[in-house]
C-alpha cells in the first residue's frame, strides 16, 4: 500500500497534478487487469486438461498422462505447439478481417470479467449496471465467429458463421429474460448487491445459506440459463457451429496455429465466464453454503472458485453424455420452449412479489 | 484541455471516420462492419455523458442483435453494385432534402446560444451514487406508463405483422412433432416375431 502511494506521489510530482493522477489511474488499472487475465488464462489452459481427463474417466480411459507428472504439462506443450506452427492466410480471404476475427472472439470474453466480484469489495469496476454490461459483452462474442466465417472465403466456414448467428441471437433472449428474473428479486443490476441479496432470508438466519440462494425460487431459470449458456458458448450438444461430422470445423476450418488456438481460448474463457456468472447469479457467488464455523473460515474467493469448477464440470459432463442436437430442434428449443418458460416465470415472480408472501423484501 | 475532451475527440474522430466509410466503402459487408464500429463509438461517447443505460442498450440491441442479423442478410445476398447505382439520380432530390433537414437539426442543436439556451439552468451534478437506469425505469413505469405501453403494443403488432407477411405454408414440408417422437415406445415400432429355427437339409 505504501509503495503504491509512493508511486502515485512520484507520478504526480513528475507530471503535474492532473496528468500524474491520470497516468497513475491508467497504470493501476492495467496492473489490475493483468492480475485478472493472467490467472484466467491459466484456468483456461488447465480447463482443457481437466476436460480431457474428465471425459477420459467417463469413457473409462486414462486421458493425457504422458507429458509431465499425471499429464500436468500437457496444456503447456499444446500451447507451445500452436505457437510455433505456421499461420496460413488463405489467398482468397479478406486478410485484415481474417486476422482480426480471433481477437474479436477472445476480447469480449475477457472484457466481461471487469465487473465480476471475486469476494466482498474485490472487483475491478463496481458499476451500477453490471448485468447490462455483461449482457452487452457476451452478445458481442458472436462477431468473431461471423467475421471469421465470412473472411475465410470458404463454404464450410460460412455455413458455420450463419448457424452461429442464428443460434446465438435465439438463446441470448432466453438468457436475458432469466437474468431479468434475477435482477427483479435482487432489486439491483450491481453484481455485488446480487450476491449480498442472496445471503438474506428465512433459511440464512438459521445458518442454511444455500437454501436462501436464488437457485431454489428461480429453479426453472437456473436450468434455462445454464442450457442457454451451453448453447451460447457453442459447446456440445449445441456445437453445430463446429459440427465436425458435417462442416468439418465451421468458422475455424481455414485457421492454423495460434489463430485456431485463439478461438479455443475464447471458447474456454466463455465457458468459465458463464460458469462464474451462474455461480454469482444463482448459487450465492462468494458466500459460503453454511453459515457456521468450518465453512465460514474458507476464504470467499475459494467458494466462488469451487462453485465455478462445479458448473464447468457440468459443461463437460453434458458433452460426454449427449449426442449433438439437430439444427431445427435447437431453434425450436430456443424459441418455442425456453422463451415462453422464461416469460411465464417472469410474470409469476412479478405476481409473487406483490403478494404478502414476498420473500425478497 | 482536460482529459474528457481528449477522450471525446478521439472517439468522435473514430466515429466520423467509421460513418464516412459506411457510405463510401464498396463492399456492403465492410459497410455493415463500419456501422457496427460507429455504433460502438457512439455508445462510448454516451458513456462519457454518464448515460450508461443508453450506451449499454445501444451495444446490446444494435451491436449485439440488430447488426448480427443485418450482417447475416448482407453476407447471404449477392449484391450487384451497378444495379444499385442505377437509381442514383432519381433518388438524389429526396436524399438531398433529408440531408438538408438533418443539417438544419444539427445547426439548431449546436447553435443553442442563439435561441436563449443559457437561460435554462445547467443541471446539477447528481453525484456518483446516481443510477441512470433506476431513474429511467422509474419514469417509464410511473409517469409515462401509458405512452410506454402503447409503444410496446405498436411493436407487438409490428412483430406479428412481420411474421404474418413472411410465413407461407408449403404443402410438401415434412414437419415432425417432437412430442410425438419422444413419446414413442418400443412396442409401437418393433414387433418381435417368434419363429422356429429352420432345419438343415
Amino acid at each position: 500500500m505504501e509503495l503504491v502511494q509512493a508511486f502515485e506521489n512520484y507520478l504526480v510530482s513528475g507530471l503535474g497534478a492532473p496528468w500524474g493522477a491520470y497516468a497513475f489511474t491508467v497504470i493501476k488499472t492495467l496492473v489490475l487487469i493483468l492480475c485478472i487475465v493472467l490467472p484466467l488464462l491459466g484456468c483456461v489452459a488447465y480447463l482443457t486438461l481437466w476436460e480431457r481427463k474428465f471425459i477420459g474417466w467417463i469413457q473409462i480411459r486414462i486421458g493425457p498422462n504422458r507429458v509431465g507428472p499425471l499429464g500436468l504439462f500437457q496444456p503447456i506443450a499444446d500451447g507451445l505447439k500452436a505457437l510455433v506452427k505456421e499461420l496460413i492466410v488463405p489467398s482468397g480471404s479478406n486478410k485484415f478481417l481474417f486476422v482480426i476475427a480471433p481477437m474479436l472472439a477472445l476480447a469480449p470474453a475477457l472484457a466481461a470479467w471487469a465487473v465480476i466480484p471475486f469476494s466482498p469489495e474485490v472487483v475491478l469496476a463496481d458499476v451500477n449496471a453490471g448485468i447490462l454490461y455483461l449482457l452487452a459483452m457476451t452478445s458481442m462474442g458472436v462477431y468473431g465467429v461471423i467475421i471469421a466465417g465470412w473472411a475465410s472465403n470458404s463454404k464450410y466456414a460460412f455455413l458455420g458463421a450463419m448457424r452461429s448467428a442464428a443460434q446465438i441471437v435465439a438463446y441470448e433472449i432466453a438468457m436475458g429474460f432469466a437474468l431479468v428474473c434475477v435482477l427483479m428479486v435482487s432489486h439491483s443490476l450491481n453484481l455485488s448487491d446480487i450476491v449480498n441479496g442472496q445471503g438474506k432470508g428465512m433459511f440464512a438466519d438459521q445458518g442454511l445459506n444455500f437454501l436462501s440462494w436464488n437457485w431454489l425460487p428461480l429453479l426453472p431459470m437456473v436450468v434455462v440459463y445454464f442450457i442457454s449458456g451451453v448453447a451460447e458458448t457453442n459447446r456440445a450438444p449445441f456445437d453445430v457451429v463446429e459440427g465436425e461430422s458435417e462442416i468439418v470445423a465451421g468458422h475455424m476450418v481455414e485457421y492454423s496455429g495460434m489463430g485456431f488456438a485463439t478461438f479455443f481460448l475464447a471458447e474456454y474463457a466463455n465457458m468459465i465466464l458463464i460458469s462464474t456468472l451462474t455461480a454469482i447469479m444463482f448459487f450465492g457467488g462468494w458466500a459460503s453454503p453454511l453459515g457456521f464455523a468450518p465453512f465460514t473460515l474458507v476464504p470467499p474467493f475459494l467458494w466462488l472458485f469451487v462453485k465455478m469448477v462445479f458448473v464447468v464440470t457440468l459443461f463437460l459432463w453434458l458433452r460426454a453424455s449427449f449426442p449433438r442436437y439437430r439444427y431445427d430442434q435447437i431453434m425450436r428449443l430456443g424459441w418455442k420452449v425456453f422463451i415462453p418458460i422464461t416469460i411465464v416465470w417472469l410474470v409469476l415472480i412479478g405476481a409473487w412479489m406483490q403478494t404478502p408472501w414476498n420473500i425478497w423484501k | 484541455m482536460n482529459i474528457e475532451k481528449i477522450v471525446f475527440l478521439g472517439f468522435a474522430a473514430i466515429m466520423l471516420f467509421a460513418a464516412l466509410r459506411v457510405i463510401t466503402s464498396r463492399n456492403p459487408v465492410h459497410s455493415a462492419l463500419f456501422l457496427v464500429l460507429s455504433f460502438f463509438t457512439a455508445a462510448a461517447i454516451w458513456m462519457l455523458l454518464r448515460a450508461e443505460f443508453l450506451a449499454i442498450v445501444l451495444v446490446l440491441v444494435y451491436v449485439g442483435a440488430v447488426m448480427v442479423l443485418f450482417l447475416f442478410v448482407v453476407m447471404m445476398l449477392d449484391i450487384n453494385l451497378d444495379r444499385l447505382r442505377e437509381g442514383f439520380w432519381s433518388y438524389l432530390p429526396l436524399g438531398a432534402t433529408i440531408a438538408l433537414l438533418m443539417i438544419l437539426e444539427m445547426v439548431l442543436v449546436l447553435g443553442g446560444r442563439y435561441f436563449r439556451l443559457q437561460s435554462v439552468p445547467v443541471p446539477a451534478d447528481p453525484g456518483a451514487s446516481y443510477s441512470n437506469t433506476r431513474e429511467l425505469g422509474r419514469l417509464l413505469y410511473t409517469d409515462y406508463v401509458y405512452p410506454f405501453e402503447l409503444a410496446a403494443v405498436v411493436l407487438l403488432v409490428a412483430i406479428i405483422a412481420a411474421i404474418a407477411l413472411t410465413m407461407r405454408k408449403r404443402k410438401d414440408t415434412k414437419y415432425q412433432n417432437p412430442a410425438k417422437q419422444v413419446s414413442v415406445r418400443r412396442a409401437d415400432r418393433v414387433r418381435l416375431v417368434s419363429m422356429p429355427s429352420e432345419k438343415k437339409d
Side-chain angles (χ1 to χ4, degrees):
Chain A
M1 273 302 111
E2 281 170 20
L3 210 67
V4 175
Q5 192 63 44
F7 181 63
E8 184 178 7
N9 291 339
Y10 169 74
L11 276 180
V12 170
S13 61
L15 293 166
W19 295 106
Y22 294 146
F24 175 71
T25 315
V26 168
I27 292 171
K28 193 181 87 176
T29 316
L30 282 178
V31 170
L32 287 177
I33 288 173
L34 277 184
C35 289
I36 294 176
V37 168
L38 291 181
L40 178 66
L41 290 180
C43 282
V44 167
Y46 276 88
L47 176 57
T48 60
L49 179 67
W50 173 234
E51 175 175 36
R52 292 166 71 179
K53 276 277 184 197
F54 187 74
I55 292 182
W57 294 335
I58 287 180
Q59 296 168 346
I60 324 184
R61 297 184 282 117
I62 297 170
N65 67 343
R66 281 286 170 263
V67 191
L70 301 170
L72 277 176
F73 297 149
Q74 184 72 42
I76 300 166
D78 287 343
L80 275 178
K81 187 187 81 170
L83 208 62
V84 295
K85 283 210 169 184
E86 184 187 358
L87 274 175
I88 300 167
V89 182
S91 55
S93 68
N94 186 315
K95 303 235 164 20
F96 179 71
L97 290 180
F98 187 83
V99 173
I100 206 177
M103 304 176 203
L104 283 178
L106 184 60
L110 298 181
W113 285 85
V115 295
I116 304 272
F118 295 99
S119 37
E121 312 290 322
V122 182
V123 49
L124 180 60
D126 196 15
V127 296
N128 279 330
I131 290 191
L132 276 175
Y133 173 82
L134 279 172
L135 283 173
M137 281 302 133
T138 46
S139 70
M140 295 216 344
V142 64
Y143 277 101
V145 178
I146 297 184
I147 291 175
W150 185 76
S152 298
N153 193 21
S154 150
K155 295 278 187 297
Y156 289 122
F158 187 64
L159 276 173
M162 293 292 103
R163 285 180 174 195
S164 162
Q167 179 177 327
I168 287 186
V169 168
Y171 280 87
E172 217 170 62
I173 301 171
M175 219 171 174
F177 272 129
L179 289 186
V180 168
C181 283
V182 174
L183 73 92
M184 266 168 73
V185 303
S186 336
H187 307 286
S188 174
L189 286 164
N190 182 308
L191 291 172
S192 302
D193 289 351
I194 288 172
V195 174
N196 284 327
Q198 294 181 57
K200 289 181 288 193
M202 199 171 67
F203 292 112
D205 295 341
Q206 298 170 358
L208 299 169
N209 291 354
F210 69 101
L211 288 176
S212 283
W213 294 345
N214 280 339
W215 68 271
L216 197 55
L218 300 179
L219 193 59
M221 294 301 102
V222 186
V223 177
V224 168
Y225 185 80
F226 177 69
I227 298 179
S228 305
V230 178
E232 284 271 292
T233 47
N234 298 328
R235 293 286 301 175
F238 297 96
D239 62 342
V240 288
V241 173
E242 294 170 39
E244 299 93 337
S245 51
E246 25 193 279
I247 51 172
V248 280
H251 57 285
M252 299 185 278
V253 68
E254 303 289 345
Y255 282 87
S256 64
M258 214 49 208
F260 182 74
T262 310
F263 275 117
F264 257 83
L265 284 182
E267 182 177 327
Y268 283 83
N270 267 322
M271 268 167 73
I272 296 180
L273 177 70
I274 297 283
S275 309
T276 312
L277 285 180
T278 314
I280 287 174
M281 304 287 175
F282 300 104
F283 295 104
W286 66 71
S288 106
L290 293 165
F292 38 81
F295 299 99
T296 43
L297 296 179
V298 177
F301 168 75
L302 213 60
W303 277 124
L304 185 65
F305 186 75
V306 167
K307 290 168 188 174
M308 184 271 280
V309 170
F310 170 72
V311 184
V312 154
T313 310
L314 281 183
F315 268 84
L316 308 182
W317 188 9
L318 220 62
R319 177 181 163 187
S321 304
F322 293 110
R324 189 175 293 141
Y325 252 94
R326 214 172 58 202
Y327 197 74
D328 61 317
Q329 289 177 337
I330 290 183
M331 284 291 126
R332 178 180 164 275
L333 185 72
W335 289 104
K336 290 190 176 172
V337 179
F338 279 176
I339 294 177
I341 289 180
T342 48
I343 291 175
V344 166
W345 206 256
L346 202 70
V347 174
L348 216 76
I349 293 284
W352 187 358
M353 292 179 75
Q354 298 306 316
T355 62
W357 302 287
N358 178 10
I359 55 172
W360 298 287
K361 275 176 200 142
Chain B
M1 194 96 148
N2 59 359
I3 191 101
E4 266 182 29
K5 201 165 189 178
I6 295 173
V7 174
F8 168 76
L9 287 177
F11 280 130
I14 296 174
M15 191 174 159
L16 269 181
F17 167 75
L20 264 178
R21 291 294 288 150
V22 172
I23 53 170
T24 54
S25 92
R26 296 176 66 88
N27 189 329
V29 173
H30 289 180
S31 293
L33 287 174
F34 275 115
L35 192 56
V36 172
L37 179 61
S38 67
F39 277 146
F40 198 79
T41 2
I45 290 175
W46 280 350
M47 201 67 109
L48 272 183
L49 294 171
R50 301 189 193 177
E52 83 268 1
F53 181 77
L54 276 180
I56 294 176
V57 165
L58 181 73
V59 174
L60 181 60
V61 175
Y62 281 88
V63 177
V66 173
M67 287 313 292
V68 171
L69 296 178
F70 209 86
L71 268 176
F72 188 101
V73 174
V74 170
M75 284 175 178
M76 297 271 270
L77 293 179
D78 185 22
I79 294 173
N80 188 344
L81 277 177
D82 292 330
R83 291 265 312 276
L84 281 180
R85 293 239 169 83
E86 271 173 13
F88 182 77
W89 291 107
S90 58
Y91 289 127
L92 188 63
L94 183 67
T97 320
I98 292 174
L100 267 177
L101 272 177
M102 282 170 72
I103 291 172
L104 196 71
E105 285 173 359
M106 294 255 201
V107 167
L108 285 178
V109 169
L110 294 176
R113 60 195 156 117
Y114 300 109
F115 302 99
R116 297 187 48 227
L117 188 70
Q118 66 273 45
S119 62
V120 181
V122 178
D125 187 352
S129 64
Y130 176 81
S131 170
N132 193 300
T133 319
R134 183 181 292 270
E135 288 305 308
L136 208 66
R138 201 185 57 73
L139 273 181
L140 276 183
Y141 289 101
T142 53
D143 297 359
Y144 298 104
V145 66
Y146 292 120
F148 184 67
E149 293 296 326
L150 262 180
V153 171
V154 170
L155 271 178
L156 186 67
V157 170
I159 293 173
I160 295 171
I163 294 172
L165 281 176
T166 52
M167 200 164 82
R168 57 200 168 97
K169 276 248 155 55
R170 279 174 52 181
K171 287 212 180 79
D172 54 341
T173 311
K174 284 180 183 149
Y175 181 75
Q176 283 153 337
N177 183 353
K180 217 170 157 186
Q181 286 182 312
V182 168
S183 64
V184 161
R185 290 286 162 268
R186 195 192 64 174
D188 307 338
R189 295 269 170 92
V190 181
R191 188 167 52 96
L192 288 182
V193 184
S194 173
M195 282 173 76
S197 52
E198 284 180 36
K199 278 206 185 105
K200 216 184 223 177
D201 294 321

